Amino acid sequence: MSTFSQTVVDADAPVFPTAVTYRSAIDNRRLTRLRTLVRKVSGKDLFPEPHHLRTFAEDMFRTDPVAERFVDEVYGTLGGDAARALLDKALTDGLDSIPDPPAALVELFEEFETVPDWVDPALIAEGEAIWRRWGTGLFSVAGGITLEMYTESAVAKPLSLAGGYAGDNALRRFLETARFWIDVSQPDALLTPGSDGRATAMRVRVMHVWVRRTVAEHPEWDRQRWGDPISQSYQLLTLLGGSVVPAMALWLTGVQTTPREIRVLLHYQRYLGHLLGVRTQWYPETIADSLRLLAFVGATRSYDAGADGAELIESFPAAFADESATGLKRLRGKYNAMMYAAYSSIYMMPTTRLRYDLPNPVPGIALVLLRMPVVVLSETLRRISPAFRRIHEQLMCRHRENWHDWQTSGRPAEYAHGKGLRR
């Protein structure tokens, strides 16, 4: 047995869901040699420290008890429509506007409204500004990197059962997620009581409860194999998917995010996670720790999503092309489908992409390369000219709003919950 195996496996080894191929990764000779090399060069392991892995494993079996108690007690007592109206009133007018509010609602909002001591308002504001600056680039990179994880049933199964990101619904739900990204990155969105961003975060949090519990009760879900649906650990990975991962991936298209800005995004995403009910026992606070966790997750994937994953992955780029449309709408749909075919290729591992039937990415990649000098020039000017920085942010914000409004035809995001599964 390797030195790493003895160190980690024998000393209170983490207990992961069985789909996490932990033991195979620990015993893999190539990985052992790579970990030895990384340790010699950097003084650190390629993977997180053993105690961090143990908490990450435990968090795969942990969810959001405060929000779940709210759904049980308030939705269970008042019914869906009345409970949703009560939640909306509390979000819009404040908890004080509700006479004799239910205890579970009070507990939920006390937790929601409490700003942790570690929060730095200046860093939150800067994180919001970075997301605004990225514009629709955030949508493209988040869409592409999410497809990479649809190979795992722990991620794909809940989405497939709920049906939100599969087949014809793929574009609608992606646009709801894009609305979430827009709302939570408006100026002062996360720290202003009553803001659209905070309200959207709470609605998404409650929606997660409904998806989690209906999936957990479904005969296709195997808790021993995958842990809890939408677990704390997978929500942590989603936060890294809004900070370290896109910041690094966007360099491939000319968008420049500095190491300091990535650390800002880690802080911003941690607080966004707080609003979403993410209470992980360990949150990576450095870029290096984040990359170690991502390396571990990449090395322990099981690629077990099968047909569920294939449907989710193949539905996504195809969803942008509306074959029933005519004229300008049809052309614009074709253009977006072409670009998202390119983004899915750029931001997915080639070995993953080749497993699935995805559109030809070459035309879109060619356009990405052609416009890269303009993007790099804009990024350079933004860094040296405050006036250009302000204009650039305004243009990016206007573009993402226009893009979203055109795609949705003005239809508001629902973040619907309380509905059954599709099978």
Side-chain angles (χ1 to χ4, degrees):
M1 184 181 292
S2 69
T3 300
F4 285 118
S5 296
Q6 291 172 346
T7 300
V8 180
V9 173
D10 296 341
D12 193 17
V15 180
F16 283 98
T18 57
V20 178
T21 59
Y22 169 75
R23 186 59 182 266
S24 296
I26 295 300
D27 291 340
N28 184 284
R29 291 185 178 182
R30 289 185 179 179
L31 271 175
T32 298
R33 289 195 292 269
L34 178 60
R35 293 173 70 190
T36 301
L37 176 62
V38 170
R39 185 176 287 275
K40 285 181 179 179
V41 172
S42 69
K44 289 281 192 176
D45 191 3
L46 177 66
F47 293 162
E49 296 294 329
H51 63 286
H52 288 153
L53 286 180
R54 283 194 294 275
T55 59
F56 186 67
E58 291 169 5
D59 281 345
M60 287 191 169
F61 296 94
R62 294 178 65 246
T63 54
D64 183 3
V66 173
E68 286 159 9
R69 189 175 305 119
F70 164 74
V71 169
D72 285 336
E73 296 181 13
V74 178
Y75 276 76
T77 301
L78 301 179
D81 291 342
R84 176 67 181 254
L86 190 71
L87 178 65
D88 287 346
K89 182 172 179 57
L91 288 169
T92 303
D93 302 327
L95 190 62
D96 293 341
S97 67
I98 300 174
D100 194 22
L105 178 64
V106 173
E107 181 186 22
L108 179 66
F109 270 77
E110 283 181 349
E111 184 187 70
F112 185 73
E113 299 292 352
T114 299
V115 179
D117 293 339
W118 51 261
V119 169
D120 184 332
L123 296 182
I124 302 300
E126 189 175 352
E128 293 166 343
I130 293 171
W131 266 24
R132 292 196 300 274
R133 183 183 90 214
W134 285 351
T136 59
L138 174 62
F139 307 165
S140 63
V141 71
I145 61 179
T146 301
L147 299 187
E148 181 67 35
M149 289 304 294
Y150 285 166
T151 62
E152 310 306 299
S153 268
V155 178
K157 182 68 72 175
L159 298 174
S160 178
L161 289 175
Y165 283 88
D168 294 338
N169 286 324
L171 181 58
R172 179 180 61 82
R173 284 302 302 273
F174 178 72
L175 294 173
E176 283 195 350
T177 305
R179 185 72 255 172
F180 165 80
W181 293 327
I182 292 172
D183 287 348
V184 300
S185 60
Q186 299 288 12
D188 303 316
L190 295 196
L191 288 172
T192 302
S195 71
D196 288 343
R198 292 174 65 86
T200 298
M202 176 62 83
R203 292 184 182 110
V204 169
R205 183 177 179 181
V206 172
M207 179 184 70
H208 282 167
V209 174
W210 284 103
V211 174
R212 185 183 295 124
R213 78 177 27 182
T214 52
V215 168
E217 295 168 356
H218 195 279
E220 290 185 29
W221 186 259
D222 185 339
R223 188 172 187 264
Q224 182 180 2
R225 180 166 178 76
W226 300 308
D228 281 321
I230 319 180
S231 68
Q232 289 286 310
S233 288
Y234 278 103
Q235 289 187 91
L236 168 59
L237 293 178
T238 300
L239 299 180
L240 297 185
S243 54
V244 175
V245 178
M248 299 179 73
L250 280 168
W251 275 85
L252 297 173
T253 60
V255 179
Q256 304 160 15
T257 308
T258 66
R260 182 197 164 276
E261 289 172 329
I262 297 176
R263 291 190 289 272
V264 168
L265 286 168
L266 280 169
H267 189 86
Y268 164 62
Q269 286 292 284
R270 185 182 179 188
Y271 182 57
L272 177 58
H274 172 82
L275 296 179
L276 291 167
V278 182
R279 303 288 183 273
T280 55
Q281 299 174 83
W282 168 59
Y283 181 85
E285 296 185 6
T286 67
I287 298 171
D289 279 346
S290 302
L291 294 177
R292 278 189 276 272
L293 178 57
L294 293 170
F296 174 79
V297 171
T300 57
R301 290 164 64 179
S302 59
Y303 298 93
D304 62 343
D308 290 339
E311 182 186 30
L312 292 169
I313 292 169
E314 293 171 3
S315 293
F316 179 69
F320 287 91
D322 185 354
E323 298 296 339
S324 64
T326 59
L328 180 59
K329 188 173 183 179
R330 181 180 178 85
L331 288 175
R332 195 166 181 176
K334 291 285 188 182
Y335 168 80
N336 281 309
M338 177 186 73
M339 295 309 300
Y340 274 85
Y343 295 137
S344 66
S345 179
I346 294 170
Y347 299 128
M348 290 176 72
M349 296 291 291
T351 51
T352 303
R353 193 183 189 284
L354 290 173
R355 295 167 179 256
Y356 302 99
D357 182 16
L358 292 170
N360 180 7
V362 172
I365 291 176
L367 186 54
V368 169
L369 293 174
L370 285 172
R371 71 187 185 193
M372 187 177 292
V374 177
V375 176
V376 172
L377 177 61
S378 296
E379 288 286 295
T380 303
L381 291 174
R382 179 184 59 75
R383 295 195 180 282
I384 63 178
S385 169
F388 185 84
R389 187 182 310 129
R390 289 190 294 271
I391 295 171
H392 180 266
E393 180 180 315
Q394 292 171 1
L395 290 174
M396 298 303 282
C397 287
R398 187 180 306 164
H399 175 58
R400 71 177 185 175
E401 287 285 1
N402 289 341
W403 184 91
H404 188 269
D405 287 347
W406 182 85
Q407 291 285 350
T408 61
S409 300
R411 184 177 61 248
E414 296 179 356
Y415 308 110
H417 50 260
K419 296 183 178 180
L421 302 177
R422 65 170 177 161
R423 68 175 189 269

